[in-house]
């Protein structure tokens, strides 16, 4: 057993009861007196210039309080400093169907909806671009004037000599892979409530408070200040419970600014909650990615070179796009030891909703391609797929060829574990017809070493206050979005301080109360905020130690803080009450056994009175309660506070090449997975029976949460692998709802066996690293490789829908073809017309520009 | 449209409400009764976050008119905890990771409560099928099965079998 | 999304209901379980002035076997009740099997057999929000004059996507319809028109009241196979119902019906003849599969490609027949 009393034990989340009873509040659950409902008018055109907006009819409708449009907040913003290309509401052009044109604040939803119908907008339609490769050829009517060829950003990285290595390789595999677009589909639709207060001194609207379903309260505060032209100090952002983010709430989403602008104009609190369709339009999901990949290996299976051309269909604005395209390049070659890498990445603008960061940001699609191709090489070289991965391991501590520092590397153990648990050696290749096993690996950052807003500020700061009541209050900017960061913070604080979890109260993600943390994204929170918490706790603990040492008349080093008690090392450290396993809830409760009961809250009241005086008069002691130590420390030092912050070390911040800032992380997580599938050869249906997923998370601070994150990632990866896909027809999203988007239900969700691997990172808090994203990327290629094992077809396009699988099976058997989409761009307009489904028949339908792809040739008729 | 007066029985209490006939039960619960435990996750009746019990049967409160429920007993997630403490299933969901972000949880509480009421010892397949009306985007459902198993065991311990 | 405003009527008897229908026929919608109507009203596909909530009409509930005649099922019987009816499972297994595949368990607690029969036809270009439909220029079925699925056509191809009607067709079901002028009975086969935007023969002042399954259809072996992407929630993307009666090893009678691939659920013409008097072999199953695939006319109304859905009609038909043969 480890030496910890809190961490490493399965622990219910500190806010679990609020979630299971319905008492916990999410943003849409909040209301304020006089609150108005905001509704947004969205663009019906994929690309058009706004000629005129007339809101007067809407304003006259009974119950409408304000109508806002672009010029009410004309300052552009964007999550990246290089990508300030969005407006709260568009000022000149709309760039996708669903872009934000105007907002009505009214007394209720029905009135606001009615008012939207009364806003008159005149558009001049422009040619639209839906396919990235098409868009890159554009000569005019660029989506953003300053982005010629509609290329948001391209990067060309060369490390080593790829051409030479490929020429000399014993074996080369080359293919085009396509990963179609997916979205977060968090269960909570985005919601924002904004309210101004009247300033007592000026008598005018003053401070703004915004409650929002966000992963990044600090960035939201920053962008609100920019667009509303208010000092940040006048803006308070509060994050209530958030119903899942997965990256979809990791940047400022239009409604968050629109609500504030509307509240300002309406002079009343305004709440906007997206419909599910609006959530799909707000999107920021994983871009459709076209990957042309070439990998070379020597005859023993050592990878000698990787060459990739990656095109990402980014949608109408920059969002995190520049970061995404860089992550794809940086992480592509950093899982294994690869001496030569060439990467050409293009982030392309199209007239569709905006892509951004999604769980496994930037790594997932290239990993699908890479791990699939690695299996192809293994096949050609007749090497076992697990073995070829072992042969290409990094040898840490090391720095990869593209400048990423690796210190802890649990990948070898992950591979061994999944090989063992899945019975790989005994079962691979011996399963019945139509069944197969596939293996794949992945990794991810534990937070970015360089923050997106360039500055030297720490990425996380945490304050701790301990008062005479014996309560420990932790103030953290970390945003719990369901992943359990509040619990992680509480665990670390109580572990360090040696107090019970029930003593710790976490105040989180309120910019008025909590110090800066840059948010919940890129799996940075446990590593960075955890480290800051650790340091804050250590700092405040010093005061407790000094006081206790004095009281107990011993050296500071002799003291042990554990289980709400302070004892001397040689004296038994008290019974360890918090039994492990699910014999809970012990870690949550203030210990009630024997001696320690003095520290109970009720007793605590007495302590402040006569009992405390009595204790003071007593001589040196062998042990004291946590609360006595607190009282003693306050008597000696006054207020007990500690602050800790975390900034990634200079050595972890990466190389010097252009774009080198993205990819570096203080530590990387590693994952290996084996998937077992069966394929129905008549229908092409793939069933995933089980996934063994080993994940190196450094140290599992809370095993239930770690396992939950691993399972959730694998499961989400399976969704992308099999069912999920945003289907576009000429810029219209055909499935903007949960019914048609189809994230998996419990029936077809496989058993996932999470296997925790602890490599104990030298810089992580108690050795912990990332555990919430890294596993996702391995699942898609593991399934794809398993399909190959089962039926011998290699799928190059995700998701592996039954029709794609069947088409591949038929092609393999040279049977009658069913003409499907394998390898072909399913969004290319010619394809829709093959199946009918054109918007533009003989001039009917909505006005679209004559140069639009779908209009260039006459559509073919339907089936009948 | 003019509001009409209706009586709604929710969690054992009767409320008189003036609402439009077009008001959905979910909106009446959340907006008029401030029972915000039931969630809205979709607009096409496919996610189950809004599930409540109507006369003991799980139904989607986003797909029913409040006025249609007059005379029926509605139980929401706020009516699940017992005597101010967590019901076994609530406790187990917390302990076993059945709830991550928790947004889907109220819906699951209702379907699971009903499942265990009609089938005290379901097989894993029965559990999967019973949960298949509700979508969760965080957990991949696995830890919910463990939670349900734990809750059943806790219930069995609490009520010694006769 | 809130619903459009309307007046709610809550009759307690068929008579009262029919009275309301007579008075407000021009602008009224029947609400049973609401699982089809309410989501559609949210999308402003229907904006009736009156909604007739029939849930309180007790006489429309229940499954009533009638010795020597068959069984009568009230239209308000939930799909869950059908799925779990021992009587139906024993004598009309194809129906319980089909009912058990509808949507999800919670939706089956709400959805009724009457609603499933009357289910509106569906299309990706139609079942969308008002904003969405505006952006794509509307369609023939609602507010427009264009079909996005079969451009140039004037016919609406929205697809009938109910699971129980193909089973009911195989069972020679009849439906009873009440109207101000009395009740009439109609074979279900004649209830559907095959036209997407006018898919059922039910006047605005009519109410479906009962479904009858004749005793002559009892005790057929039956199988329903459904194509869906997820194991729950999803509407069918193709569906095949087969019933077979056997005597001495061959088929003495059989019927085959399809759903989710045409604007109406359809009995496959010629299938009975092809099967009757034969033993069910792989070759025969193939032949019937081909016939079924020819009857199916899937278009881009739904997810997955039409080619694939038609192919699955072939595969599922074949499998359904072999499943019966081997059972
Ligand atoms: C997410 C989701 C998934 C679904 N999946 C499936 C599926 O897989 N398979 C499937 O078959 N269905 C599916 N459905 C549709 C629906 O749940 C079922 O078809 C159900 O049986 C409809 O019955 P209802 O009583 O709820 O219908 P309602 O919505 O009440 O009515 C449907 C239509 O029939 C009319 N109507 C109802 N009863 C009568 C009557 N007695 N007389 C005259 N007109 C009447 C209504 O006016 C309305 O037009 C799904 C629905 C949802 C929301
Ligand atoms: S809110 Fe999604 S089903 Fe009710
Ligand atoms: S716990 Fe987040 S959706 Fe289920």
């Amino acid at each position: 057993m480890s030496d910890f009393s809190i961490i490493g034990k399965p622990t219910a989340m500190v806010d679990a009861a609020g979630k299971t009873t319905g008492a916990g509040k999410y943003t849409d659950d909040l209301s304020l007196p006089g609150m108005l409902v905001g509704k947004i008018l969205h663009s019906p055109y994929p690309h058009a210039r706004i000629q005129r907006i007339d809101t007067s009819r809407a304003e006259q409708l009974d119950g409408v309080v304000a109508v806002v449009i672009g010029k009410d907040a004309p300052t552009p913003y964007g999550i990246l400093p290089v990508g300030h290309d969005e407006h709260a509401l568009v000022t000149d052009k709309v760039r996708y169907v669903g872009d934000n044109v105007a907002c009505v604040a009214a007394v209720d939803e029905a009135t606001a909806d009615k008012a939207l119908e009364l806003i008159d907008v005149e558009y001049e339609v422009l040619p639209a671009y839906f396919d990235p490769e098409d868009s890159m050829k554009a000569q005019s009517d660029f989506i953003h004037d300053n982005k010629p060829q509609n290329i948001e950003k391209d990067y060309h990285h060369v490390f080593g000599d790829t051409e030479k290595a490929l020429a000399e390789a014993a074996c080369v595999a080359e293919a085009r892979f396509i990963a179609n677009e997916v979205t977060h589909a968090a269960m909570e639709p985005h919601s924002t409530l904004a309210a101004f207060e009247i300033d007592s001194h000026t008598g005018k609207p003053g401070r703004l408070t915004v409650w929002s379903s966000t992963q990044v309260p600090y960035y939201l505060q920053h962008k609100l200040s920019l667009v509303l032209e208010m000092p940040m100090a006048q803006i308070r952002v509060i994050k209530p419970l958030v119903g899942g983010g997965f990256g979809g709430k990791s940047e400022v989403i239009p409604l968050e600014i629109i609500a504030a602008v509307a509240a300002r104009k309406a002079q009343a609190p305004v709440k906007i909650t997206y419909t599910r369709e609006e959530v799909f339009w707000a999107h920021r999901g994983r871009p459709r990615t076209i990957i042309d990949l070439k990998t070379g290996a020597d005859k023993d299976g050592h990878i000698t070179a990787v060459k990739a051309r990656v095109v990402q269909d980014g949608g109408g604005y920059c969002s995190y796009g520049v970061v995404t395209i860089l992550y794809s390049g940086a992480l592509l070659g950093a899982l294994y030891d690869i001496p030569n890498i060439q990467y050409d990445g293009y982030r392309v603008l199209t007239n569709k909703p905006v892509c951004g960061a999604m769980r496994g940001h930037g790594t997932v699609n290239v990993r699908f391609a890479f791990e699939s191709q690695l299996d192809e090489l293994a096949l050609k070289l007749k090497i076992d797929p697990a073995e070829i991965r072992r042969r290409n391991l990094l040898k840490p501590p090391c720095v990869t060829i593209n400048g990423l520092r690796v210190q802890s590397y649990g990948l070898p153990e992950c591979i061994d574990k999944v090989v063992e648990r899945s019975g790989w050696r005994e079962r691979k290749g011996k399963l019945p017809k139509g069944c197969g096993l596939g293996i794949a690996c992945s990794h991810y950052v534990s937070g970015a070493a360089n923050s997106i807003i360039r500055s030297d500020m720490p990425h996380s700061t945490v304050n701790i206050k301990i008062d005479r009541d014996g309560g420990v209050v932790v103030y953290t900017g970390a945003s719990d979005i369901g992943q359990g960061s509040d619990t992680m913070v509480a665990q670390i604080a109580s572990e360090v301080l040696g107090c019970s979890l029930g003593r710790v109260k976490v105040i989180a993600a309120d910019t008025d109360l909590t110090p800066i943390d840059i948010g919940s994204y890129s799996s940075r929170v446990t590593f960075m905020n955890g480290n800051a918490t650790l340091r804050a706790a250590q700092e405040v603990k010093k005061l407790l130690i000094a006081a206790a040492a004095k009281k107990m008349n011993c050296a500071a080093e002799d003291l042990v803080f554990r289980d709400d008690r302070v004892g001397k090392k040689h004296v038994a450290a008290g019974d360890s009450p918090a039994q492990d396993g699910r014999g809970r809830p012990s870690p949550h409760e203030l210990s009630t056994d024997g001696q320690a009961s003095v520290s109970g809250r009720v007793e605590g009241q007495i302590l402040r009175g006569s009992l405390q005086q009595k204790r003071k008069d007593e001589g040196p002691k062998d042990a004291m309660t946590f609360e006595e130590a607190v009282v003693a420390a306050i008597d000696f030092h006054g207020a007990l506070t500690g602050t800790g912050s975390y900034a990634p070390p200079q050595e972890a911040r990466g190389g010097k090449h252009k774009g080198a800032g993205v990819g570096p992380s203080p530590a990387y997580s590693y994952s290996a997975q084996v998937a077992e599938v069966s394929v129905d050869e008549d229908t092409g249906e793939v069933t995933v029976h089980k996934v063994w997923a080993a994940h190196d998370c450094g140290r599992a601070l809370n095993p239930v949460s770690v396992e939950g994150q691993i399972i959730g990632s694998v499961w989400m990866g399976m969704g992308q692998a099999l069912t999920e896909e945003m289907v576009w027809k000429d810029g219209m999203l055909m499935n903007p709802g949960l019914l048609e988007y189809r994230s998996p239900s419990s029936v077809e969700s496989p058993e996932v066996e999470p296997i925790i691997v602890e490599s104990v990172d030298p810089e992580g808090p108690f050795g912990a690293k990332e555990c919430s994203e890294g596993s996702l990327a391995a699942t898609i290629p593991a399934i794809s490789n398993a399909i190959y094992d089962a039926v011998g077809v290699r799928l190059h396009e995700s998701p592996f829908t039954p029709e794609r699988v069947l088409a591949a099976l038929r092609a393999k058997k040279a049977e009658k073809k069913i003409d499907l989409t394998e390898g072909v761009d399913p969004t290319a307009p010619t394809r829709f017309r093959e199946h009918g489904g054109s918007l533009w028949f003989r001039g009917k339908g909505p006005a679209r520009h004559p140069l639009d792809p779908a209009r260039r040739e006459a559509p073919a008729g339907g089936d009948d | 449209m003019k509001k009409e007066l209706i009586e709604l029985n929710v969690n054992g209490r009767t409320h008189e409400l003036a609402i439009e006939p077009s008001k959905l039960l979910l909106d009446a619960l959340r907006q008029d009764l401030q029972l915000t435990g039931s969630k809205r996750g979709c607009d096409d009746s496919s996610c189950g976050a809004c599930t409540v019990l109507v006369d003991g049967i799980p139904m989607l409160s986003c797909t029913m008119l409040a006025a249609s429920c007059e005379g029926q007993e509605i139980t929401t997630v706020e009516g699940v905890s017992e005597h101010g403490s967590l019901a076994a299933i609530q406790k187990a969901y917390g302990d076993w990771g059945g709830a991550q972000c928790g947004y889907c949880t109220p819906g699951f509480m209702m379907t699971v409560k009903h499942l265990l009421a009609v089938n005290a010892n379901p097989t894993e397949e029965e559990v999967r099928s019973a949960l298949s009306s509700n979508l969760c985007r965080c957990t991949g459902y696995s830890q919910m099965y463990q939670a349900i198993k734990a809750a059943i065991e806790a219930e069995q311990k609490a009520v010694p079998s006769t | 999304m809130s619903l459009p405003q309307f007046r709610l009527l809550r009759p307690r008897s068929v008579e009262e209901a029919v009275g309301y229908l007579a008075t407000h026929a021009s602008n009224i919608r029947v609400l049973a379980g609401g699982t089809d109507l309410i989501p559609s009203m949210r999308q402003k596909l229907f904006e009736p002035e009156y909604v007739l909530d029939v849930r309180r009409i007790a006489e429309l509930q229940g499954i009533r076997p009638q010795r020597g005649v068959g069984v009568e099922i009230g239209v308000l019987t939930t799909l869950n009740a059908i799925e779990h009816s021992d009587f139906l499972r024993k004598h009309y297994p194809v129906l319980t099997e089909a009912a058990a595949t509808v949507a999800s368990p919670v939706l089956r607690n709400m959805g009724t057999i009457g609603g499933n029969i009357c289910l509106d036809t569906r299309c990706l270009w139609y079942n969308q929000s008002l904003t969405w439909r505006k952006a794509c220029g509307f369609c023939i079925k609602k507010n427009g004059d264009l079909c996005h699925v079969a451009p140039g056509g004037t016919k609406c191809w929205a697809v009938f996507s109910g699971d129980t009607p193909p089973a009911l067709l195989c069972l020679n079901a009849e439906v009873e319809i009440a109207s101000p002028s009395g009740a009439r009975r109609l074979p279900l086969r004649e209830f559907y028109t095959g036209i997407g935007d006018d898919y059922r023969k039910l006047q605005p002042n009519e109410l479906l009241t009962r479904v009858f399954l004749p005793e002559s259809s009892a005790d057929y072996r039956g199988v329903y196979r459904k194509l869906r992407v997820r194991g729950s929630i999803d509407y069918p993307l193709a569906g095949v119902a087969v019933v077979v009666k056997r005597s001495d090893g061959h088929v003495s009678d059989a019927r085959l019906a399809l759903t989710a691939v045409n604007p109406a659920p359809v009995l496959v013409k010629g299938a009975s003849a092809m099967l009757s008097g034969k033993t069910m072999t792989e070759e025969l199953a193939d032949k019937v599969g081909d016939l079924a695939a020819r009857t199916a006319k899937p278009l881009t109304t739904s997810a997955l490609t039409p080619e694939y859905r038609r192919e699955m009609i072939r595969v599922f038909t074949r499998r359904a027949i072999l499943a019966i043969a081997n059972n």
Side-chain angles (χ1 to χ4, degrees), chain A residues 715-773:
Chain A
W715 176 86
M716 201 177 264
M718 185 202 67
Q720 180 175 352
L722 296 185
T723 58
E724 294 175 30
E725 174 176 4
M726 292 174 83
V727 180
W728 299 100
K729 294 205 195 251
D730 301 336
M732 297 293 300
L733 179 58
M734 298 306 289
N735 52 349
L738 294 179
L739 175 57
E740 293 290 333
Y741 179 72
R742 297 195 169 86
S743 66
S745 81
S746 56
V747 179
E748 68 278 5
S749 298
E751 185 190 339
V752 179
E753 184 175 321
I755 303 163
I756 294 174
V757 169
E758 297 185 314
S759 62
V760 188
D761 188 81
E763 290 177 14
F766 298 104
K769 304 190 287 190
E770 183 289 325
C771 74
S772 303
E773 305 193 57

Side-chain angles (χ1 to χ4, degrees), chain A residues 586-632:
Chain A
S586 41
H588 287 287
E589 281 173 2
L590 298 163
S591 24
T592 48
D593 55 322
Q595 210 173 359
S597 71
V598 175
S599 67
R601 288 232 157 105
V602 180
E603 297 284 340
Q605 309 300 319
I606 304 169
L607 271 179
R608 256 171 250 135
S610 56
L611 185 60
Q612 174 203 339
Q613 196 51 46
K614 186 166 155 264
R615 296 258 157 104
K616 254 190 177 172
D617 301 338
E618 285 167 4
K621 304 150 33 109
D622 272 348
M624 61 203 299
T625 64
F626 180 78
E627 196 154 312
E628 286 171 312
V630 167
V631 171

Side-chain angles (χ1 to χ4, degrees), chain A residues 739, chain B residues 44-46, chain C residues 29-37 39 75 79 101-103 107 110-112 114-116 118-119 161-163 200 202 206-208 226 228 233-236:
Chain A
L739 175 57
Chain B
D44 51 19
S45 306
S46 68
Chain C
R29 275 271 145 188
V30 176
L31 175 78
T35 59
D36 175 35
L37 188 63
V75 282
L79 295 164
T101 70
V102 173
L107 281 160
M110 307 173 71
T112 64
N116 202 244
C118 294
L119 187 69
S161 307
D163 282 303
R200 54 180 189 190
L202 189 73
E206 290 181 323
L207 184 70
L208 203 66
K226 166 172 178 172
R228 46 161 49 164
I233 307 174
D234 290 352
Y235 277 96

Side-chain angles (χ1 to χ4, degrees), chain A residues 767-799:
Chain A
K769 304 190 287 190
E770 183 289 325
C771 74
S772 303
E773 305 193 57
S775 285
L776 195 155
T779 309
I780 303 165
I783 291 173
S784 164
N785 291 340
I787 293 172
Y788 187 88
D789 188 43
V791 291
V793 298
R794 171 62 56 199
L795 293 160
H796 291 107
E797 182 170 355
S798 71

Side-chain angles (χ1 to χ4, degrees), chain B residues 72-98:
Chain B
Q72 293 183 297
E73 278 181 31
I74 294 157
T75 312
T76 69
V77 68
E78 287 90 346
V80 172
S81 31
E82 293 152 4
H83 317 297
S85 303
L86 294 181
I89 186 63
Q90 294 174 312
K91 178 75 174 58
Y93 257 61
D95 285 350
W96 290 84

Side-chain angles (χ1 to χ4, degrees), chain A residues 136-476:
Chain A
M136 283 163 83
K137 294 179 200 134
Q139 294 302 319
S140 61
D141 299 295
F142 300 131
I143 297 170
H144 292 276
D145 293 339
N146 61 346
K147 300 285 173 194
Q149 269 73 55
N150 292 326
I151 295 176
E152 175 66 49
K153 199 85 188 165
D154 56 331
Y155 287 97
H156 305 275
H157 290 162
V158 181
F159 303 100
D161 189 343
T162 312
E163 294 302 342
K164 178 160 169 280
L166 283 172
E168 291 168 1
C171 183
V172 173
E174 184 172 11
R176 166 170 281 207
F177 293 87
I178 296 174
N180 283 305
E181 193 165 337
V182 290
T183 198
H184 323 83
M187 290 309 297
E188 179 204 23
H190 303 63
S191 179
T192 301
L193 167 58
F196 283 85
E197 278 163 39
I198 292 178
D199 186 288
S200 304
H201 301 119
T202 65
K204 300 231 162 60
R207 292 177 55 92
L208 164 68
T209 304
V210 169
W211 293 261
S212 195
S213 54
T214 177
Q215 300 175 233
V216 287
Y218 167 69
Y219 289 152
L220 177 56
Q221 184 192 21
H222 184 257
K223 304 301 172 194
L224 281 167
S225 136
L226 183 75
V227 180
L228 295 172
E229 296 171 352
M230 289 171 65
M232 272 177 86
Q234 291 280 76
I235 300 169
R236 176 181 189 183
V237 174
I238 301 173
K239 177 211 69 74
L241 286 179
V242 171
F246 315 112
K249 295 163 183 167
S250 71
E251 62 182 286
V252 176
I253 298 297
L255 89 161
E256 302 185 285
I257 308 245
I258 297 171
V261 175
R264 181 170 67 183
K265 188 152 178 185
Q267 297 167 13
V270 171
K271 182 164 80 182
I272 305 181
T273 301
Y274 274 160
T275 62
R276 182 49 71 176
E277 181 179 46
E278 290 179 298
V279 174
F280 276 87
W281 284 334
H283 190 33
R284 320 280 155 160
R286 195 179 330 284
R288 180 163 172 276
T289 309
I290 302 164
I291 304 144
D292 290 306
L293 187 68
K294 195 169 176 182
T295 311
D298 68 16
K299 64 177 192 344
D300 299 323
H302 300 118
I303 301 165
T304 52
V306 175
K307 182 177 170 180
R309 176 179 180 272
V310 173
V311 177
Q312 288 172 347
D313 181 351
Y317 296 91
C318 175
S319 171
Y320 273 109
V322 176
V323 173
T324 318
I325 196 73
L326 282 170
Y327 262 132
S328 293
L331 295 181
L332 174 66
L335 175 58
Y336 303 110
D337 187 10
I338 302 172
N340 302 288
I341 299 174
Q342 182 178 335
Y343 175 71
D344 297 287
Y346 300 85
R347 178 72 173 200
V348 183
L349 294 154
T350 53
N351 291 109
K352 290 188 288 188
V354 193
C355 292
M358 179 169 163
R359 202 174 199 175
H361 188 189
T363 192
V364 173
N365 293 346
V366 291
R367 187 54 45 203
F368 154 53
F370 185 92
E371 295 287 314
S372 300
Q373 195 155 79
L374 192 53
D375 258 40
E376 295 278 275
L377 285 174
L379 186 75
K380 288 189 187 184
L381 292 164
K382 303 201 170 52
I383 301 173
D384 176 75
E387 179 54 27
I388 200 167
R389 289 173 169 82
R390 283 203 197 91
R391 290 193 191 168
N392 286 288
L393 296 172
L394 291 167
K395 289 158 205 76
C398 63
V399 176
T400 66
I401 186 148
N402 59 336
L404 310 188
R405 182 194 69 160
V406 176
Q407 304 201 103
S408 59
Y409 188 65
L411 186 58
E413 193 182 340
C414 289
I415 296 176
D416 291 346
K417 284 261 162 73
V418 291
V419 162
E420 183 194 313
R421 297 273 185 100
S422 66
W424 176 266
R425 282 189 212 91
E426 307 78 54
R427 299 170 67 226
K428 173 83 183 4
K430 300 188 191 84
L431 294 177
K433 190 167 172 317
C435 298
L437 291 176
I439 190 169
C441 302
S442 59
H443 61 154
Y444 204 60
V445 300
S446 306
N450 305 291
S451 91
I452 53 179
I453 297 174
R454 246 167 261 165
S455 80
D456 285 328
M457 83 178 183
H459 294 203
S460 288
T461 300
V462 168
N463 291 341
I464 294 181
K465 179 208 91 173
I466 307 181
D467 223 322
R468 284 186 82 101
D469 57 6
V472 176
V473 187
V474 187
Y475 299 87
T476 171

